[in-house]
Amino acid sequence: MASERHEREISMATDGRFEGRVVAIRGAVIDLAFDYKLPSIEDAVEIVDSDGRAVVAEIQAHLDSGRARAIALEPTTGLRRGDRARSAGGPVTVTVGEATLGRLLDVLGRIGDRGPPLPADAPRWPIHRKPPPFSAQTGATKLFATGIKVIDLLAPLAQGGKAAMFGGAGVGKTVLVMELIHAMVESYQGISVFAGVGERSREGHEMLLDMTQSGVLARTALVYGQMNEPPGARWRAPMTALTIAEFFRDERHRNVLLLMDNVFRFVQAGSEVSGLLGRAPSRVGYQPTLADEVAALHERIASVGDASVTAIEAVYVPADDFTDPAVTTIAAHVDSMVVLSRAMSAEGMYPAVDPIASSSILLDPLVVGEEHVAVATDTRRAIEHYRELQDVIALLGMEELGAEDRRIVERARRLQRFLTQPFAVTEAFTGVAGRSVKVADTVAGCKAILAGQCDEWHESSLYMVGTLEEAREKEDAARAAERRPAEAPA
């Protein structure tokens, strides 16, 4: 018996797999005992219950020389002490490549769209990979035009960069991300990978339908770790999406657009996992490894050679508190910050992007040109001056302002309205067709308003339009209606 066991241990050591058993289960936390050798941290373990169902977990801690603690990536219902566990000999691997395009996958790379199974010969990559070395990375200085005026003017995105949409509940983060997807249909011909992290099933269904109708699903891979899934699944879903994106960047040399909604749920899932593992919480109850986890995710988003991974992330801001540790940690890693304002949303200024708080490292004369930077700076200055005077206006009215202040305020109000625009993804609700505006038209329109060319226009003529020419047509129509004699009463 001893010799047979020794031979079995040698064979398991040779292929990197080790057998063990479950000794304790507490929700998503599973303690495992191994007779020969412990699997490495972040290695996958497959646990088989009495019915033959396999549950995949990931090793997160070594308790002693013979026991390890794992976090389940699937529901643990039906597991019990004594169930067999088998190490995978490495991290979780998922299918990558062309087979994933047009498909909806979970954190383990399994299909969730009721379509045909993925081909058995498709390549598989581990979800934990090192970021490309700094010497191999290329800088992100090419403008990534979105067609959304306020973003292109004040917080331009970089191809191969990282952009984040920060906002509280209900201010339009998901709508903005969906509009960006829609805007890329015409101009962007690369691969898209969407990671739905901790979002509602309804939002995932809407996203799938929208992508199908807009025709981008054929070159998009969808990875979901939904709100009703265990914290381990939500925690690792972005890694699965990143792995698929890296394959197209490194092996196919294709540009990849990586969309994540919502990165805060990734942090939240990590906090849940940390608590389940018994780690002492850090600031505001977050995990002590918060900075490491966010860095591990963002450092893999990079351009290598002639191919890039461009990340656009939605980030929920809890209770509209922009000093929250999760928000500030994520903000430290992004190139462009698009901040959504609840006050602007309440005023009906959509997209509700705060022109003062939003910023981008690409707003540089060497990247976008001196005229663009000058117009963006003057636009911010005018809107900031208007905000400073809002209390005075509310108390005393516009009449109490000096001539110069009044002119700046009127132009700032027109600029705010010009920076709104209807979205294609909201057309079904508003009945207004979406607009996509070129960067040059956006800069020219704001420059004209700052120069006073629209001082005599109605403010409503600039609201929810595309280019300044469209606003001019709206103004001409309004003037014509005013000149038209009123119909005599019957």
Side-chain angles (χ1 to χ4, degrees):
M1 289 292 290
S3 63
E4 288 178 10
R5 180 180 172 185
H6 182 65
E7 287 174 8
R8 190 170 74 251
E9 287 176 350
I10 291 173
S11 68
M12 283 188 282
T14 305
D15 67 359
R17 297 168 184 258
F18 316 105
E19 287 192 357
R21 63 189 181 282
V22 175
V23 293
I25 303 174
R26 292 177 302 280
V29 178
I30 305 170
D31 287 354
L32 304 164
F34 291 87
D35 297 328
Y36 177 64
K37 182 182 175 183
L38 292 178
S40 302
I41 301 293
E42 294 185 343
D43 272 11
V45 178
E46 200 172 67
I47 301 154
V48 182
D49 65 13
S50 55
D51 296 328
R53 183 177 74 97
V55 174
V56 177
E58 188 177 278
I59 300 294
Q60 286 299 317
H62 291 166
L63 303 178
D64 54 39
S65 60
R67 292 185 307 141
R69 182 162 289 169
I71 287 289
L73 304 183
E74 301 177 82
T76 56
T77 308
L79 293 185
R80 60 187 180 184
R81 282 181 292 179
D83 283 342
R84 291 182 298 108
R86 183 172 173 82
S87 153
V92 170
T93 62
V94 295
T95 300
V96 294
E98 285 73 10
T100 63
L101 298 180
R103 305 305 301 270
L104 192 153
L105 310 171
D106 66 5
V107 66
L108 299 171
R110 298 169 181 165
I111 56 172
D113 54 11
R114 300 178 184 175
L118 297 173
D121 58 348
R124 295 183 70 87
W125 277 20
I127 65 170
H128 295 293
R129 306 180 71 244
K130 289 184 178 180
F134 188 71
S135 58
Q137 297 183 24
T138 53
T141 56
K142 186 178 179 183
L143 199 65
F144 198 80
T146 65
I148 299 172
K149 289 181 289 188
V150 66
I151 293 178
D152 287 344
L153 178 71
L154 301 173
L157 311 187
Q159 183 167 308
K162 297 179 273 280
M165 318 292 169
F166 294 91
V171 294
K173 297 183 301 299
T174 300
V175 170
L176 194 54
V177 169
M178 289 176 70
E179 181 66 16
L180 284 166
I181 293 170
H182 194 276
M184 299 308 162
V185 176
E186 297 297 329
S187 60
Y188 182 74
Q189 296 301 318
I191 300 296
S192 298
V193 180
F194 180 84
V197 186
E199 290 300 285
R200 303 165 187 84
S201 298
R202 169 187 58 79
E203 291 176 333
H205 184 65
E206 287 176 1
M207 179 70 73
L208 185 61
L209 286 176
D210 187 66
M211 285 190 160
T212 304
Q213 291 166 2
S214 60
V216 295
L217 189 63
R219 56 177 189 269
T220 303
L222 301 169
V223 179
Y224 278 96
Q226 291 298 112
M227 191 178 278
N228 60 336
E229 293 190 53
R234 288 179 270 126
W235 192 38
R236 291 310 187 204
M239 301 303 181
T240 300
L242 251 175
T243 302
I244 294 171
E246 286 171 333
F247 176 85
F248 285 108
R249 180 195 67 193
D250 298 339
E251 298 296 320
R252 299 292 182 262
H253 305 289
R254 301 282 301 274
N255 290 329
V256 184
L257 179 63
L258 176 66
L259 301 128
M260 289 190 277
D261 188 7
N262 183 308
V263 180
F264 177 80
R265 303 296 179 200
F266 160 74
V267 172
Q268 200 173 41
S271 179
E272 290 179 49
V273 168
S274 181
L276 289 167
L277 293 172
R279 295 174 185 153
S282 183
R283 282 196 306 155
V284 199
Y286 285 108
Q287 61 270 42
T289 54
L290 171 64
D292 291 340
E293 289 172 14
V294 173
L297 177 69
H298 285 90
E299 288 302 303
R300 288 172 61 181
I301 302 168
S303 301
V304 179
D306 57 350
S308 64
V309 174
T310 306
I312 297 175
E313 311 166 5
V315 183
Y316 167 67
V317 179
D320 291 345
D321 179 14
F322 285 88
T323 64
D324 186 90
V327 175
T328 54
T329 304
I330 295 166
H333 288 273
V334 299
D335 307 318
S336 302
M337 279 184 63
V338 179
V339 178
L340 296 169
S341 161
R342 189 171 300 282
M344 293 190 68
S345 176
E347 291 174 13
M349 300 294 172
Y350 293 109
V353 175
D354 188 330
I356 308 303
S358 301
S359 62
S360 171
I361 62 168
L362 260 74
L363 202 59
D364 184 289
L366 297 175
V367 180
V368 296
E370 291 188 5
E371 183 186 39
H372 186 143
V373 174
V375 170
T377 304
D378 290 345
T379 298
R380 277 208 181 98
R381 188 179 291 124
I383 294 172
E384 180 66 27
H385 193 67
Y386 169 45
R387 288 187 178 179
E388 290 171 359
L389 294 170
Q390 274 184 322
D391 288 345
V392 176
I393 295 167
L395 287 169
L396 304 174
M398 287 277 286
E399 294 75 18
E400 296 301 316
L401 297 178
E404 180 66 19
D405 284 343
R406 193 182 305 174
R407 185 167 67 249
I408 292 172
V409 166
E410 288 172 350
R411 289 176 185 174
R413 288 175 60 87
R414 284 171 172 80
L415 282 166
Q416 280 189 332
R417 280 149 183 77
F418 180 64
L419 291 176
T420 64
Q421 72 189 84
F423 281 174
V425 295
T426 59
E427 187 176 339
F429 309 105
T430 62
V432 181
R435 305 286 194 279
S436 179
V437 184
K438 294 178 180 176
V439 179
D441 291 338
T442 299
V443 173
C446 291
K447 188 177 181 181
I449 294 170
L450 287 163
Q453 295 180 22
C454 307
D455 285 358
E456 303 302 319
W457 290 17
H458 296 85
E459 289 182 1
S460 58
S461 298
L462 294 156
Y463 181 67
M464 284 293 168
V465 296
T467 62
L468 195 66
E469 289 303 314
E470 187 182 339
R472 183 175 280 109
E473 292 172 6
K474 198 173 173 182
E475 174 67 15
D476 292 342
R479 296 283 184 189
E482 288 174 359
R483 288 194 298 269
R484 197 176 300 130
E487 292 184 6

